[in-house]
Amino acid sequence: MEKGIGASKGYGIGKVVVYRPADLSYTPRTGCDPETEKKRLTDALGRFLERNERLRERVRETAGDAAAEIITGHIMMLQDPYMSSEIEKQIDEGACAESAVESVCDLFIAMFSSVDDEMTRQRATDVSDIKQEMLGLLLGVRTVDLTDLPKDTVLVARELTPSMTACIDRECVVGFITELGSKTSHAAILARAMEIPAVLSVENAVELYADGQLVVVDGVRGEVVASPEEDTVARYMQLRLDFNASRAENAKFVGKETRTADGKRVELFANIGTPEDAENVLSNDGEGVGLFRTEFLFMDRSTMPSENEQFEAYKKALLILKGKPVIIRTLDIGGDKEIPYLGLEKEQNPFLGFRAIRYCLHNPEMYRAQLRALLRASAYGDLRIMIPLVTGVDELRQVRAMVAELMAELDEQVIPYRKDIPIGVMIETPAAVLVADRLAKEADFFSIGTNDLTGYTMAVDRGNAKVAYLYSAFSPAVLRSIRHVIQTARDAGIPVGMCGEAAADPMLIPLLVAFGLDEFSVTPTSVLATRKEISRWSKEEAERIAETVLSLDTEKQVVAELNKYA
Ligand code: PEP
Ligand code: MG
C-alpha cells in the first residue's frame, strides 16, 4: 500500500490507465517570417480560446461555477498583455511561434516557481499547462486525449493539470493518482468538485502502476492499494457504498439554511488557513468563515509577510466570500506552531509559554501591522477580528486600544475601514471560562476553541500519547465549561460560536443545540454533514439528552450515552 495526500474524498476501485504526455519536441527555427508566424500564433490562440471556453462551460455544468473560474484564469493568463507582447516581440526577432511561446512561458514559470507562496507557485503549473496546450496546437499534436477512457479507469499521471482534469468524463474515471500536487492545487479542487477520489503526491506513481492493473484509490485516508485481494476489494466496495450514501444524504442539504428540527436558525461557518481555502467554503456551502488561522500566512517562508501582503490576503478572502462574515484570528504562534524566523526561544512548556496574544502584545510593531492590514481589508466585506488564547479582559483592552489608535491613523490618512468592526475573543483557556462574564461585557462575540480548551482544562499536552486518553471534549469538566460559556454569552446578549474540531462531532451536536450555540465553524468538507446533524435535533429533545449527560460522572459514561443517538 502506498501513501499520498488524500486530495478528494471517496473510494475509487478500477483499472489503471497511465497517462503519458504526447511528444511535443520540435526543432526551433530562426529567421522566420514574422507575418507567417504571427498568423500561426493567432490561429492557435483562437483554437485555444475556443477549446477552453467549451471546456469552461462543461466544467460549469459538471463541477460548478467556482471550478469553472480556474479555466477562466487560464484564458485570462494567455490574454495578459505583457505575455502576448513578449511572445510577439520574439516572433518579430525571427523566432518561430513554438519557441516564442515556449520561452515566454518558461520565463513566467521560472518567475512564479521562485516565489515562496503556494498560490503563486500554483500559477506556474497553470502556465505550464497553457504551454503544453499551445505547443500541441501549433505542432498539430493532440496533447491530451482523456475524453475516451474505458469505464472504471483510475488515471495515473505525473501531474494532473486543470485542462486534463476538466475534459475527463466522470462517468468513466473513478480515481486519480499523481506524483505531484497538494490539497490546494487546482487539479485537487477540480477533482473535489467533480467528486472523483484522488490521492496525490504518491512517489514514483507512473513507474509503480501498470496499465490494466486493479487498484483502490482511498481518498479518505490518502492511500493506494495495488492488486488488492478479493476480500480487500469487498471491504472497499462496502466503504464506497456507505460513503456514497452519506454523500447523497448530505447533498440534500445544499443551499438550505441551517436549522434545528424545531426551526431555530443557527449559523454554519467554516475554518480556513489561506485565502484560497475560501473557495472551498463556498463550494461546500459554508455560510461564512468562523476561523481564519492567519499563522499559515506566516509559515513556510523566511520573512514576515508585510502589512500589504497581509492586506491583500485578507481582502482576497473577503472578496471571495462576497459579503458573508469572515472571522479572522490574529496571529496564533507558539505551542505546536513554530515560525523559525521569529527566533522564539525554546521553552520548557511551549503550550504554557510565550504564544499567541502574549507574543503579539509584546511585539507591537508586528501586531500593529497585522491589525492595520485587517482594518484596511475590513472595507471589503464583513470582517471580524478574533483574539486567540485570551486569559482575561486586560488582553482584550490592550488590543482595543491598539485598534483605536490605528483607526485614528487611518482616519488621518483617509483610508477606509469598517468603523464598527466586531472584536471577539476565543475561549480556549480555563481562565477565560472563569471570567467569561467579564469578557462578555467587553467582547463583541465569543468563539470556543475546544482543541485547546480540552487540553488546558484536562491539563493534557495535545501531543502526548500517554495521556491522550484524557483528551476528550466529552469529559464532564469540558462539557460544563462549554455550557457555562454559552450560557454566559447568552445572558450578556453576545453571539457565541465554536471553531474547535468538536463543533463537527455528531455526538456533541445535540448538546450544543441544547446549550444554545449560535454558530458552528467546521472544516469546509464537514459543512453539509454538520447541517444535517443539526437538523436532527429539536431544542426540547436535545435538552432532554443534555440533562441526562450532565448528570453523568465520567467521560466513558457520557460517550456511551451519546452513542445511543449516533
Ligand atoms: C482551538 O484551540 O480549538 C482552535 C480552534 O485553535 P487551534 O486549533 O488553531 O489552536
Ligand atoms: Mg487554539
Side-chain angles (χ1 to χ4, degrees), residues 4-304:
I5 298 170
S8 174
K9 285 192 182 163
Y11 301 91
I13 305 167
K15 294 214 170 123
V16 166
V17 170
V18 180
Y19 170 72
R20 293 185 178 81
D23 182 5
L24 292 174
S25 55
Y26 63 95
T27 313
R29 289 171 290 123
T30 48
C32 300
D33 170 34
E35 287 318 306
T36 314
E37 293 307 305
K38 274 188 195 162
K39 165 109 187 35
R40 292 183 61 229
L41 179 72
T42 316
D43 282 353
L45 257 173
R47 273 177 292 148
F48 177 95
L49 295 177
E50 199 188 305
R51 182 167 183 266
N52 275 275
E53 270 155 20
R54 249 186 298 123
L55 216 55
R56 174 168 60 187
E57 286 325 300
R58 192 185 152 130
V59 171
R60 201 185 301 286
E61 279 163 28
T62 55
D65 286 350
E69 284 303 302
I70 293 174
I71 308 296
T72 307
H74 278 200
I75 295 174
M76 282 169 59
M77 213 181 282
L78 199 54
Q79 287 174 329
D80 176 88
Y82 179 63
M83 194 174 211
S84 40
S85 72
E86 278 302 297
I87 295 175
E88 283 190 13
K89 204 165 104 196
Q90 297 216 5
I91 292 180
D92 282 336
E93 286 163 7
C96 64
E98 287 87 347
S99 33
V101 166
E102 180 158 33
S103 70
V104 172
C105 284
D106 284 347
L107 202 79
F108 276 78
I109 293 169
M111 191 170 78
F112 290 142
S113 317
S114 66
V115 177
D116 202 6
D117 161 65
E118 172 77 26
M119 192 181 74
T120 314
R121 278 200 302 264
Q122 173 65 52
R123 295 181 71 184
T125 315
D126 290 339
V127 179
S128 156
D129 198 7
I130 292 169
K131 179 177 97 173
Q132 305 287 331
E133 213 176 328
M134 279 297 286
L135 283 179
L137 287 165
L138 285 165
L139 295 165
V141 174
R142 217 168 152 172
T143 43
V144 187
D145 189 7
L146 299 172
T147 47
D148 197 20
L149 292 166
K151 265 208 156 311
D152 294 331
T153 291
V154 170
L155 191 67
V156 179
R158 178 159 162 74
E159 184 169 24
L160 210 52
T161 62
S163 62
M164 283 163 72
T165 324
C167 66
I168 270 161
D169 184 351
R170 74 207 262 214
E171 295 301 314
C172 297
V173 177
V174 296
F176 292 127
I177 306 171
T178 68
E179 294 182 0
L180 302 177
S182 68
K183 265 196 176 139
T184 52
S185 56
H186 279 163
I189 296 171
L190 282 168
R192 283 196 290 275
M194 295 166 90
E195 299 185 351
I196 298 177
V199 179
L200 311 186
S201 276
V202 176
E203 236 174 274
N204 275 333
V206 171
E207 303 296 316
L208 223 51
Y209 309 111
D211 283 310
Q213 186 177 18
L214 183 70
V215 291
V216 174
V217 180
D218 178 346
V220 175
R221 275 175 213 81
E223 291 169 2
V224 179
V225 186
S227 306
E229 302 286 331
E230 244 172 66
D231 56 340
T232 311
V233 175
R235 188 163 55 82
Y236 275 108
M237 278 176 146
Q238 188 56 49
L239 283 171
R240 184 173 62 182
L241 219 60
D242 296 346
F243 181 85
N244 291 346
S246 92
R247 176 174 263 169
E249 191 55 35
N250 290 347
K252 292 185 193 153
F253 289 84
V254 174
K256 299 256 167 72
E257 288 186 334
T258 307
R259 289 189 184 275
T260 58
D262 51 346
K264 187 193 167 221
R265 176 101 166 77
V266 294
E267 285 178 306
L268 180 51
F269 294 167
N271 298 347
I272 63 172
T274 64
E276 293 74 52
D277 290 348
E279 304 275 6
N280 285 344
V281 177
L282 292 187
S283 60
N284 285 285
D285 212 26
E287 298 159 21
V289 169
L291 167 65
F292 181 161
R293 291 181 161 101
T294 57
E295 48 279 10
F296 289 103
L297 300 175
F298 290 69
M299 288 175 176
D300 287 336
R301 48 184 295 151
S302 48
T303 54
M304 183 109 61

Side-chain angles (χ1 to χ4, degrees), residues 291 293 329 332 337 426 428 449-452 462 499-500:
L291 167 65
R293 291 181 161 101
R329 174 174 77 183
D332 182 4
K337 298 165 193 156
M426 285 197 72
E428 48 186 350
T450 46
N451 304 343
D452 276 318
R462 259 161 93 166
C499 60

Side-chain angles (χ1 to χ4, degrees), residues 527-541:
V527 165
L528 292 175
T530 306
R531 185 174 292 151
K532 183 177 79 182
E533 282 303 320
I534 293 170
S535 78
R536 285 179 60 200
W537 303 104
S538 70
K539 180 104 171 149
E540 200 185 320
E541 245 181 310

